[in-house]
Amino acid sequence: MPPFGLLHMRAWASLFGQLLRPRRAVFIREVAEAVLTSQLKPHQEKSHFVIKTPKGTRDLSPQQMVVREKILDMVIGCFKRHGAKRIDTPAFELKETLTEKYGEDSGLIYDLKDQGGELLSLRYDLTVPFARYLAMNKVKKMKRYHVGKVWRRESPTIVQGRYREFCQCDFDIAGQFDPMIPDAECLKIMCEILSGLELGDFIIKVNDRRILDGMFAVCGVPESKFHAICSSIDKLDKTSWKDVRHEMVVKKGLAPEVADRIGDYVQCHGGVSLIEQMFQDPRLCQNKQAREGLGDLKLLFEYLTLFGIAEKISFDLSLARGLDYYTGVIYEAVLLQTPAQAEESSNVGSVAAGGRYDGLVGMFDPKGYKVPCVGLSIGVERIFSIVEQRMKTFGQKIRTTETQVFVATPQKNFLHERLKLIAELWDAGIKAELLYKNNPKLLTQLHYCEDMGIPLVVIIGEQEMKEGIIKLRLVASREEVAIKRENLVAEIQKRLSES
Amino acid sequence: MPPFGLLHMRAWASLFGQLLRPRRAVFIREVAEAVLTSQLKPHQEKSHFVIKTPKGTRDLSPQQMVVREKILDMVIGCFKRHGAKRIDTPAFELKETLTEKYGEDSGLIYDLKDQGGELLSLRYDLTVPFARYLAMNKVKKMKRYHVGKVWRRESPTIVQGRYREFCQCDFDIAGQFDPMIPDAECLKIMCEILSGLELGDFIIKVNDRRILDGMFAVCGVPESKFHAICSSIDKLDKTSWKDVRHEMVVKKGLAPEVADRIGDYVQCHGGVSLIEQMFQDPRLCQNKQAREGLGDLKLLFEYLTLFGIAEKISFDLSLARGLDYYTGVIYEAVLLQTPAQAEESSNVGSVAAGGRYDGLVGMFDPKGYKVPCVGLSIGVERIFSIVEQRMKTFGQKIRTTETQVFVATPQKNFLHERLKLIAELWDAGIKAELLYKNNPKLLTQLHYCEDMGIPLVVIIGEQEMKEGIIKLRLVASREEVAIKRENLVAEIQKRLSES
């Protein structure tokens, strides 16, 4: 697998082009529909139990896996390009490891049944396990990536690509460094991945928890309500200001005039000039935290300009991020849809997000020793939905195997010869298949190759064996060439390396 | 990633050679010990909660991940060589999906807490989810592989490489085919993987559930006790015949003379000649099932001979396999240890196993429609323990990143130039790093490269910038060459492609 640089990423489309054959997209759609139907319409019979995957989860078919793996390969390729190491952690953690990390979302954690022994919960993200890993192993500095499933008991709205089990790809930089250099790299990585996947135009919203806290303070929000109000603000990408204001005032007991002051701020978004403008804001600038946040954002934009990605970034005062553990810069990438796209598909929401969390590792350390961290998470599931949708639209067919050679015969009672030959191919590292029948028809065998996109067929028969030759059929052109039996493996390897 | 054929597999050792640098193996050991210690010795303090992974689980460090991925790449490469498609299924299933599939082992299933909604359990293997997938999607024919974690609440004996969370790699062939052809391919795959991983000599024990059932019948075991007695026999690889006999007679109420008759059979193991011998056994041959099983094994050995692996296979009447769902041929690969190895490490047990399960899909189909299946599972965890142990013995150090180029400067206040330059490298697909410091010392930067095994360093300074050149340092030889600034990317790519 070659490394995917931005230039190499251009090859992405043609790479897909090789995998996809413009045939019926029917199969993919059928499988997808079968999965959806079985999830949405439980069996009517009560006698026999229902065969389905749990609510909010799904199987991935071979077609889906090919797309998934291509996306993961590209994401992981980018993480490696930036020098990250990979780790893995268990699917479940001690329940108390996850306690008090997720604010209002804590209710969405899956707990395991108490079967004696420790109380356990399925991991909710890859960030808290990473912080636990750092504290447990007393690691002070690390750039790591982690690809794995996480579980959240959300009301699943499957059409939008939201599931209760989903895959996350996280990249994080832990350690005490000079300000904003790792943070800028995280944004660069998000840009590389989103450009590389060719999902269309996108923008990354950036804000800072300290600016939010400063804003809350100068607007008159009591400090005890900062987290709760932050959670409300976080809903602004899905909910109108009117509804968010209502929640803040009615449910969370905020004074209406305080809410309105917040309302003025959260409408602001722009580039570096907005940072300057906020520095001029007499109210906000009284606040030390806000000033620090604004200063860091200014430095961040300096670095983003050097990375050539400043025009992709928008300073957005409405960005809040729901999770409790963020302490500094936060960001979220959203795809910009054309009006036509926006009409046919519902809002896909953010496809990548992250931020700085300098206090999380300290929550696990017995002495409260802090390890500053900043990172990002790629929402593979949503990206996957988009790519899958696009493939359906274009009616592309995917090769789900990599078989290079098929071993066929027109002859009856030739199983032994086929088995001997295919073992020779396997032992030479050639990807090969045959039909598991004593006497398959030649036409059935050739159809299988055309169906599966297998490029080469080796055909053995009695006459050829006597002559010490073997026939090699090129499936695409249906051309057949005779080869000396002893040269077969070399000839196949030569043809495969040329194609 | 090139396909690993048996010939290519020879390159395995040298591939590892490239990854490993013969330095201190201290770090790997330290991490491993830290993990073990934290798992085995819970914190003494009661006030602060314990930072650990759940009992029987572990994190994988970057070093461990590199080894793990190399093993997985090889296993997956073999599965692809045999034309398999990949699928994925959720980590948990409906509890009833897993009910009555695992016999005595059912108590080891992890259940999720009832938080409202469906009752769920973590998957116990990848076989039952595969059967559920086939039945749910009405797939009648499929060759698939699946790599994923499974969970079992076993008493963890970590030193032996047994965990409560572990990774399985499964390959299965579903469909109605002519006898023993897919079964023989499964054994071929096990041989290719175990040879390719160079774990030392191994043997694959083979038996057939029908021969076992026939043997039980002619020995006088009541049919209601077949499964229970089978479970006892399954323990023979870890327990003496005396203890197994005791369990059968005392716990499971078998007549002592029946147990002794079984005892005579389960001592038998050998090659094709043993099959012939059993065909001559007057008692066993009365039994139709046993005759069928023996006939199929004879055919299987015919195919294994054509595949060139017959000498790796041992017909072993003591092989039983614990799981309920097997219906035909069963097999289990064990490593043959030299006496020295056997002394220093405990028994690693089976490293791969599988068999035929023709009834499992039918258990999920409302009309009981059967899809015959045969497959195998690679015990990656145990293989991983062996490889890790070997690496410790040889004191090998592993590169955990793939970084190709480091961007350094001897100059103060040169961060902007470094950031601009590294973005150029990333955009060209080059794996590059820098230190996240405004003014790092040159020596610190060069030490980092030597420590991390980064082969190239780009050094930028004011003087060179004025001259339009840049210095490229080759870390291994410490040689430095001047390159025209505009040729930098091309020159780096040339050098990387040559190395």
Side-chain angles (χ1 to χ4, degrees):
Chain A
M1 188 66 54
F4 288 105
L6 276 189
L7 292 180
H8 293 107
M9 285 176 179
R10 292 274 146 225
W12 169 251
S14 66
L15 184 83
F16 253 114
Q18 285 170 26
L19 287 165
L20 308 169
R21 294 186 302 139
R23 286 256 232 127
R24 301 154 295 149
V26 175
F27 184 68
I28 312 172
R29 205 183 321 128
E30 275 175 0
V31 169
E33 279 169 6
V35 171
L36 275 174
T37 311
S38 65
Q39 285 170 339
L40 300 176
K41 288 190 229 157
H43 248 247
Q44 294 307 312
E45 305 157 46
K46 285 273 166 189
S47 61
H48 203 280
F49 83 87
V50 181
I51 313 160
K52 63 186 281 295
T53 60
K55 190 179 170 190
T57 70
R58 59 170 171 177
D59 297 318
L60 292 183
S61 70
Q63 285 79 4
Q64 292 173 316
M65 281 304 285
V66 172
V67 179
R68 164 75 56 110
E69 300 223 348
K70 286 291 149 201
I71 293 169
L72 289 184
D73 280 350
M74 173 162 288
V75 171
I76 291 171
C78 180
F79 292 164
K80 286 184 176 173
R81 194 159 59 242
H82 288 262
K85 306 168 179 186
R86 185 170 193 169
I87 67 160
D88 191 35
T89 69
F92 43 72
E93 295 277 346
L94 297 184
K95 185 174 166 58
E96 54 193 347
T97 299
L98 306 189
T99 305
E100 287 174 19
K101 308 297 184 306
Y102 300 109
E104 292 184 1
D105 290 345
S106 296
L108 305 182
I109 294 173
Y110 276 100
D111 292 329
L112 269 70
K113 190 171 157 184
D114 182 0
Q115 294 170 289
E118 300 160 333
L119 291 181
L120 307 170
S121 301
L122 294 183
R123 65 185 175 204
Y124 183 85
D125 64 10
L126 302 177
T127 309
V128 170
F130 176 52
R132 193 263 308 143
Y133 177 95
L134 293 174
M136 184 172 124
N137 297 296
K138 305 205 183 311
V139 176
K140 307 286 180 239
K141 200 190 278 189
M142 182 179 215
K143 184 158 59 180
R144 81 91 179 79
Y145 72 97
H146 189 177
V147 175
K149 287 179 176 178
V150 301
W151 295 270
R152 300 182 184 179
R153 295 179 57 253
E154 286 182 280
S155 303
T157 49
I158 287 168
V159 278
Q160 287 187 24
R162 274 185 98 103
Y163 290 89
R164 291 183 158 198
E165 170 182 84
F166 57 97
C167 178
Q168 283 198 330
C169 300
D170 278 27
F171 172 100
D172 292 79
I173 300 170
Q176 187 68 59
F177 301 112
D178 283 330
M180 293 300 114
I181 313 178
D183 313 59
E185 184 169 4
C186 288
L187 290 165
K188 175 77 171 107
I189 288 172
M190 276 166 59
C191 283
E192 286 181 28
I193 289 172
L194 295 178
S195 306
L197 291 172
E198 296 184 342
L199 301 172
D201 208 7
F202 63 90
I203 199 147
I204 304 178
K205 299 179 192 172
V206 172
N207 198 1
D208 192 297
R209 270 285 164 90
R210 291 164 298 172
I211 299 175
L212 277 168
D213 283 355
M215 177 182 93
F216 293 153
V218 302
C219 289
V221 180
E223 210 178 320
S224 61
K225 291 197 168 136
F226 278 14
H227 276 313
I229 297 305
C230 200
S231 289
S232 298
I233 296 293
D234 184 46
K235 294 170 188 159
L236 271 176
D237 57 337
K238 293 160 212 141
T239 322
S240 69
W241 165 249
K242 202 180 139 217
D243 291 344
V244 169
R245 186 184 181 283
H246 182 263
E247 178 180 297
M248 296 196 297
V249 174
V250 177
K251 283 200 195 155
K252 301 188 172 167
L254 205 65
E257 63 277 16
V258 174
D260 290 334
R261 267 177 237 140
I262 294 175
D264 290 341
Y265 280 112
V266 295
Q267 283 165 29
C268 301
H269 54 92
V272 185
S273 60
L274 181 61
I275 302 176
E276 294 301 343
Q277 190 188 319
M278 287 296 145
F279 262 128
Q280 306 307 320
D281 183 285
R283 257 195 317 198
L284 199 57
C285 267
Q286 291 162 17
N287 186 283
K288 185 168 169 275
Q289 278 211 294
R291 281 200 312 275
E292 282 177 8
L294 287 167
D296 272 353
L297 276 197
K298 199 177 158 186
L299 187 60
L300 179 67
F301 266 92
E302 215 175 292
Y303 297 158
L304 299 178
T305 306
L306 293 164
F307 283 162
I309 55 167
E311 79 284 358
K312 290 285 181 197
I313 317 293
S314 166
F315 172 36
D316 190 324
L317 279 156
S318 75
L319 178 71
R321 308 278 304 128
L323 302 173
D324 267 9
Y325 49 64
Y326 290 116
T327 55
V329 175
I330 48 176
Y331 31 80
E332 194 168 287
V334 288
L335 299 182
L336 300 174
Q337 298 183 301
T338 61
Q341 287 171 323
E343 203 167 298
E344 75 178 33
S345 70
S346 48
N347 179 23
V348 289
S350 81
V351 289
R356 178 164 281 283
Y357 50 102
D358 289 349
L360 190 56
V361 178
M363 290 177 77
F364 292 110
D365 189 89
K367 289 170 189 157
Y369 184 94
K370 284 188 181 181
V371 179
C373 294
V374 64
L376 64 97
S377 186
I378 305 289
V380 188
E381 231 64 42
R382 300 199 188 172
I383 291 172
F384 177 64
S385 298
I386 295 162
V387 174
E388 206 184 15
Q389 183 62 45
R390 187 168 61 191
M391 283 168 51
K392 275 183 205 167
T393 309
F394 289 101
Q396 292 166 313
K397 199 192 171 194
I398 302 168
R399 263 204 86 178
T400 51
T401 68
E402 299 178 8
T403 308
Q404 299 163 320
V405 180
F406 188 89
V407 175
T409 185
Q411 212 104 22
K412 285 212 168 186
N413 301 317
F414 240 62
L415 177 63
H416 282 204
E417 290 75 7
R418 282 154 63 212
L419 291 180
K420 232 172 137 171
L421 178 62
I422 200 166
E424 191 183 332
L425 299 181
W426 287 331
D427 291 349
I430 295 166
K431 295 171 189 151
E433 283 187 84
L434 48 66
L435 292 192
Y436 303 123
K437 295 276 173 194
N438 290 319
N439 298 308
K441 286 182 188 151
L442 184 60
L443 211 61
T444 313
Q445 298 172 77
L446 297 182
H447 274 168
Y448 181 81
C449 297
E450 300 206 349
D451 252 19
M452 299 298 294
I454 301 172
L456 296 175
V457 189
V458 171
I459 304 175
I460 43 171
E462 207 160 355
Q463 186 54 35
E464 288 89 351
M465 275 188 79
K466 278 184 197 151
E467 295 170 19
I469 60 162
I470 205 153
K471 270 197 288 189
L472 193 63
R473 182 186 169 100
L474 319 180
V475 176
S477 64
R478 299 188 175 178
E479 184 194 344
E480 290 185 2
V481 288
I483 296 170
K484 273 194 189 162
R485 177 65 186 82
E486 62 266 32
N487 296 344
L488 179 66
V489 165
E491 179 67 28
I492 288 173
Q493 281 167 336
K494 187 171 145 269
R495 285 179 183 265
L496 290 175
S497 69
E498 284 165 0
S499 65
Chain B
M1 187 65 58
F4 289 106
L6 276 189
L7 293 181
H8 292 106
M9 284 176 179
R10 292 273 146 224
W12 169 251
S14 67
L15 183 83
F16 252 114
Q18 285 171 25
L19 286 165
L20 308 169
R21 294 185 303 137
R23 286 256 234 126
R24 302 153 295 149
V26 175
F27 184 69
I28 311 172
R29 204 184 322 129
E30 273 174 2
V31 170
E33 278 168 9
V35 172
L36 273 175
T37 311
S38 67
Q39 285 170 340
L40 300 177
K41 288 190 231 155
H43 248 247
Q44 293 308 312
E45 305 158 46
K46 286 273 166 188
S47 61
H48 203 280
F49 82 88
V50 182
I51 312 158
K52 63 186 282 293
T53 60
K55 189 178 171 191
T57 69
R58 59 171 171 177
D59 298 318
L60 292 183
S61 71
Q63 286 79 5
Q64 293 174 314
M65 281 305 285
V66 172
V67 179
R68 164 75 56 110
E69 298 223 351
K70 287 292 149 199
I71 293 170
L72 290 184
D73 280 350
M74 173 162 288
V75 171
I76 291 172
C78 180
F79 293 163
K80 285 183 177 172
R81 193 159 59 242
H82 288 263
K85 307 169 177 185
R86 186 170 193 169
I87 67 161
D88 191 36
T89 69
F92 43 71
E93 295 277 346
L94 298 185
K95 185 174 165 57
E96 55 193 347
T97 299
L98 305 189
T99 304
E100 288 175 17
K101 308 296 186 304
Y102 300 109
E104 292 183 1
D105 290 346
S106 297
L108 305 181
I109 294 173
Y110 275 100
D111 292 328
L112 269 70
K113 190 171 155 184
D114 183 0
Q115 293 170 289
E118 301 159 334
L119 291 181
L120 307 170
S121 301
L122 294 183
R123 66 185 175 203
Y124 182 86
D125 64 9
L126 302 177
T127 309
V128 170
F130 176 51
R132 194 264 307 142
Y133 177 95
L134 293 174
M136 185 173 123
N137 297 296
K138 306 207 183 306
V139 176
K140 308 286 180 236
K141 201 190 276 189
M142 182 178 216
K143 183 157 61 180
R144 83 89 180 79
Y145 72 97
H146 189 177
V147 175
K149 287 178 176 178
V150 301
W151 297 269
R152 300 182 183 180
R153 296 180 57 253
E154 286 183 279
S155 302
T157 50
I158 287 169
V159 277
Q160 289 187 22
R162 275 185 97 104
Y163 289 89
R164 289 182 161 200
E165 169 181 85
F166 57 98
C167 178
Q168 284 199 329
C169 301
D170 279 26
F171 172 100
D172 293 79
I173 300 170
Q176 186 68 58
F177 301 113
D178 283 330
M180 294 300 112
I181 313 178
D183 313 59
E185 185 168 5
C186 287
L187 290 166
K188 174 78 171 107
I189 288 172
M190 278 167 59
C191 282
E192 285 180 28
I193 289 171
L194 294 178
S195 306
L197 290 171
E198 296 184 343
L199 301 172
D201 208 8
F202 62 90
I203 198 147
I204 304 177
K205 299 178 193 174
V206 172
N207 197 3
D208 192 295
R209 271 284 166 88
R210 291 165 296 173
I211 298 175
L212 277 169
D213 283 355
M215 178 182 92
F216 293 152
V218 302
C219 289
V221 179
E223 210 178 321
S224 61
K225 292 198 166 136
F226 278 14
H227 276 314
I229 296 305
C230 200
S231 289
S232 298
I233 297 293
D234 184 47
K235 293 169 188 159
L236 272 176
D237 58 336
K238 292 159 212 141
T239 322
S240 69
W241 164 249
K242 202 180 139 216
D243 291 344
V244 168
R245 184 182 181 283
H246 182 262
E247 179 180 296
M248 294 197 298
V249 173
V250 176
K251 282 202 195 156
K252 299 188 174 169
L254 205 64
E257 64 276 15
V258 173
D260 290 334
R261 267 176 237 142
I262 294 175
D264 291 340
Y265 280 112
V266 296
Q267 284 166 29
C268 301
H269 53 92
V272 187
S273 61
L274 180 61
I275 302 176
E276 292 303 340
Q277 191 187 320
M278 286 296 145
F279 262 128
Q280 305 307 320
D281 184 285
R283 258 194 317 199
L284 199 58
C285 268
Q286 291 162 19
N287 185 283
K288 184 167 171 275
Q289 278 210 293
R291 280 199 313 273
E292 282 177 10
L294 287 167
D296 272 352
L297 276 198
K298 198 176 159 186
L299 187 60
L300 179 67
F301 266 91
E302 214 175 293
Y303 297 158
L304 299 178
T305 306
L306 293 165
F307 282 161
I309 55 167
E311 79 284 359
K312 290 285 181 197
I313 317 293
S314 165
F315 172 36
D316 190 324
L317 278 156
S318 75
L319 178 72
R321 306 280 303 128
L323 303 172
D324 268 8
Y325 49 65
Y326 290 116
T327 55
V329 175
I330 49 178
Y331 31 81
E332 195 168 288
V334 290
L335 300 182
L336 301 175
Q337 298 183 302
T338 62
Q341 288 171 321
E343 205 167 297
E344 76 178 30
S345 71
S346 48
N347 180 23
V348 290
S350 81
V351 288
R356 178 163 282 284
Y357 49 103
D358 290 348
L360 190 57
V361 178
M363 289 176 77
F364 292 109
D365 190 89
K367 288 173 188 158
Y369 184 94
K370 286 189 179 180
V371 179
C373 294
V374 64
L376 64 98
S377 185
I378 305 288
V380 187
E381 231 64 42
R382 300 197 188 172
I383 291 171
F384 176 65
S385 298
I386 296 163
V387 174
E388 207 184 14
Q389 183 62 44
R390 189 168 60 192
M391 284 168 51
K392 275 184 203 165
T393 309
F394 289 101
Q396 293 165 313
K397 199 191 170 197
I398 301 168
R399 263 205 86 178
T400 52
T401 68
E402 298 178 8
T403 309
Q404 300 163 320
V405 179
F406 187 89
V407 176
T409 184
Q411 211 104 22
K412 284 209 169 189
N413 301 317
F414 239 61
L415 177 63
H416 281 205
E417 290 75 6
R418 281 155 62 214
L419 291 180
K420 232 173 136 170
L421 178 62
I422 201 167
E424 191 182 329
L425 299 181
W426 287 331
D427 291 349
I430 295 166
K431 295 170 189 154
E433 283 186 85
L434 48 66
L435 292 192
Y436 304 123
K437 295 275 173 196
N438 290 317
N439 298 308
K441 288 181 187 151
L442 184 60
L443 211 61
T444 313
Q445 298 173 76
L446 297 182
H447 275 168
Y448 181 82
C449 297
E450 300 205 350
D451 253 20
M452 300 296 295
I454 302 172
L456 297 175
V457 189
V458 171
I459 304 175
I460 44 171
E462 208 160 352
Q463 186 56 35
E464 289 88 350
M465 275 187 78
K466 277 184 198 150
E467 295 171 20
I469 59 162
I470 205 154
K471 270 198 290 189
L472 193 64
R473 181 187 169 100
L474 318 180
V475 177
S477 64
R478 298 185 177 180
E479 184 193 345
E480 288 184 4
V481 289
I483 296 169
K484 275 194 187 161
R485 176 66 185 81
E486 63 266 31
N487 296 344
L488 179 66
V489 165
E491 180 67 28
I492 289 173
Q493 281 167 336
K494 186 171 144 270
R495 283 177 186 265
L496 290 174
S497 69
E498 283 165 0
S499 64

